[in-house]
Amino acid sequence: MKHTGPRGRYGRRTRRTAAALATGIALVVASQGGAGADGARRQPQAVPAAQSAPAAPAATDCGDPKLSLRPPASLPAPGSWPQDSKMAEIVRRGYLRAGVDQSTYPFGYLDPVDATLKGFDIDLLREVAKAIFGDAGPNRIQFRVLRNADRVPAVESGQVDIVAMTMTVNCERRERVDFSDVYFTAGQRTLVQKDPGLPARARTEGLAGLAGYRVCAVNGSTSLTRIKEPQYQAIPVEGETWADCLVKLQKGETDAISTDDTILAGLQAQDAKFTEVVGGRISEEPYGMAVNKEDPEFVRFVNAVLADVKRSGRWTDLYKAYIGTSLDETVPRPPAVTTWRTES
């Protein structure tokens, strides 16, 4: 059954009010800024869409794309690296340039109360900056807001030093950028309205039960690629951000949203009365931080930071602070990394 317009299965006033509220939140998120390189409140720098590079050819099999470069045995002390290293370059500049999202609760979002960027990914990036400079001052990191489709081009072109924004590690992306060790593992599921008009299969099978229905995901995401697979027979709807997909769901412009369960939990928390996450995981989505392929020593350094974050208990603290409150589940162990690839 193909749907081409608003379905209006709820009271029109109720749904429009909810949609308007979500739209307001999305506009606040899109228009506010975090701390800039000098610590002042400002608009995070956005990479224009025109700077996006053309899509790369299909990647060859890279083996296990999750294998990154072995970190040093312990986290290097600030200033202990060679002067021609990426870390030394960042120190000379005075701040780390980090590509982030500001509309994906609870990984990267703008708190409308104090207009600061927060989230699991945001705080991990702060840990990287702290390890480079030896302090966690707000002037040590400059956030640059990216669209999903612009993450890889921004790293390739050197507009950012690193990207952390729920980015799945895969062979296609590994052709163009390098990745840190995996710091979180999610899985794709589906968010729908609590609508009796949806097929019963949708609640048990998620995306597989939505053949002929409209399903939203963000352009440039692995989620949208999966929605377009012929086996699902879904009608793909592209959103600018995940908040945009939520607004489309509330306004009846899509029937579902399908992406990582952690992202869906954040969306569902914003509209808990009318939405629910359904179906089991249909994929494994390992998250890594993206770094330019010409900076292998920086990849190793970031891996040392992540290992220290996991070992110290900081990873667990961040999970409890952000993700555990959304998924309402027992805090898992951080992803264990025991194997690395040998080439630089």
Side-chain angles (χ1 to χ4, degrees):
M1 180 179 181
K2 183 176 180 180
H3 297 279
T4 57
R7 300 171 67 198
R9 297 189 185 276
Y10 296 97
R12 188 176 299 273
R13 179 177 301 173
T14 301
R15 296 310 295 156
R16 282 186 175 175
T17 299
L21 175 61
T23 302
I25 294 173
L27 289 175
V28 169
V29 165
S31 64
Q32 300 294 323
D38 58 1
R41 195 79 65 213
R42 63 174 59 177
Q43 296 276 359
Q45 298 184 30
V47 175
Q51 296 179 356
S52 299
T60 56
D61 183 6
C62 65
D64 185 351
K66 298 189 298 296
L67 295 184
S68 184
L69 299 174
R70 182 187 293 273
S74 60
L75 182 61
S80 64
W81 37 73
Q83 288 304 300
D84 61 351
S85 67
K86 182 68 174 181
M87 294 78 76
E89 174 190 325
I90 294 170
V91 170
R92 287 191 295 270
R93 184 195 306 136
Y95 54 89
L96 174 73
R97 299 173 304 185
V100 299
D101 196 352
Q102 62 174 6
S103 61
T104 301
Y105 178 84
F107 278 84
Y109 64 97
L110 195 73
D111 188 328
V113 176
D114 58 14
T116 58
L117 285 166
K118 297 180 180 178
F120 192 84
D121 283 345
I122 301 297
D123 280 8
L124 282 182
L125 287 168
R126 294 187 193 279
E127 293 292 329
V128 174
K130 180 180 178 181
I132 293 173
F133 293 100
D135 64 76
N139 61 324
R140 295 307 194 186
I141 186 166
Q142 183 184 84
F143 294 111
R144 299 193 175 188
V145 177
L146 306 175
R147 301 184 312 158
N148 274 29
D150 294 330
R151 294 176 295 188
V152 169
V155 173
E156 285 183 309
S157 64
Q159 295 177 63
V160 296
D161 304 308
I162 190 170
V163 164
M165 43 188 296
T166 62
M167 193 170 181
T168 299
V169 178
N170 59 32
C171 285
E172 181 179 0
R173 289 170 175 162
R174 268 273 304 274
E175 287 280 307
R176 301 172 62 183
V177 299
D178 208 346
F179 283 100
S180 71
D181 285 330
V182 173
Y183 64 85
F184 194 90
T185 302
Q188 185 167 345
R189 296 181 66 192
T190 303
L191 179 76
V192 298
Q193 293 185 6
K194 295 177 180 178
D195 187 345
L198 287 176
R201 285 186 58 199
R203 284 175 171 72
T204 57
E205 301 179 32
L207 182 59
L210 287 167
Y213 284 77
R214 300 162 301 173
V215 183
C216 188
V218 170
N219 184 31
S221 66
T222 55
S223 304
L224 183 61
T225 300
R226 190 164 290 110
I227 290 169
K228 293 179 178 179
E229 292 179 0
Q231 70 187 81
Y232 295 113
Q233 299 180 16
I235 303 169
V237 175
E238 296 187 12
E240 283 296 314
T241 65
W242 295 114
D244 182 36
C245 279
L246 179 60
V247 172
K248 290 180 185 296
L249 180 66
Q250 294 168 324
K251 293 171 66 178
E253 295 173 0
T254 187
D255 303 300
I257 305 168
S258 186
T259 187
D260 304 351
D261 46 9
T262 46
I263 297 174
L264 294 180
L267 296 177
Q268 198 272 338
Q270 298 174 56
D271 193 4
K273 182 176 180 180
F274 291 104
T275 63
E276 59 182 335
V277 179
V278 298
R281 285 185 172 186
I282 60 173
S283 69
E284 180 183 87
E285 307 294 335
Y287 294 165
M289 296 185 179
V291 174
N292 195 290
K293 291 178 75 71
E294 296 181 1
D295 298 321
E297 81 288 347
F298 189 44
V299 176
R300 296 180 188 276
F301 176 80
V302 171
N303 286 344
V305 175
L306 293 176
D308 187 69
V309 166
K310 295 174 183 179
R311 183 169 51 246
S312 68
R314 177 64 173 153
W315 188 97
T316 301
D317 292 341
L318 293 179
Y319 187 99
K320 290 178 179 178
Y322 294 113
I323 302 165
T325 57
S326 294
L327 295 180
D328 192 26
E329 63 181 30
T330 303
V331 177
R333 293 180 179 274
V337 180
T338 58
T339 307
W340 294 268
R341 70 178 193 267
T342 56
E343 75 273 16
S344 60

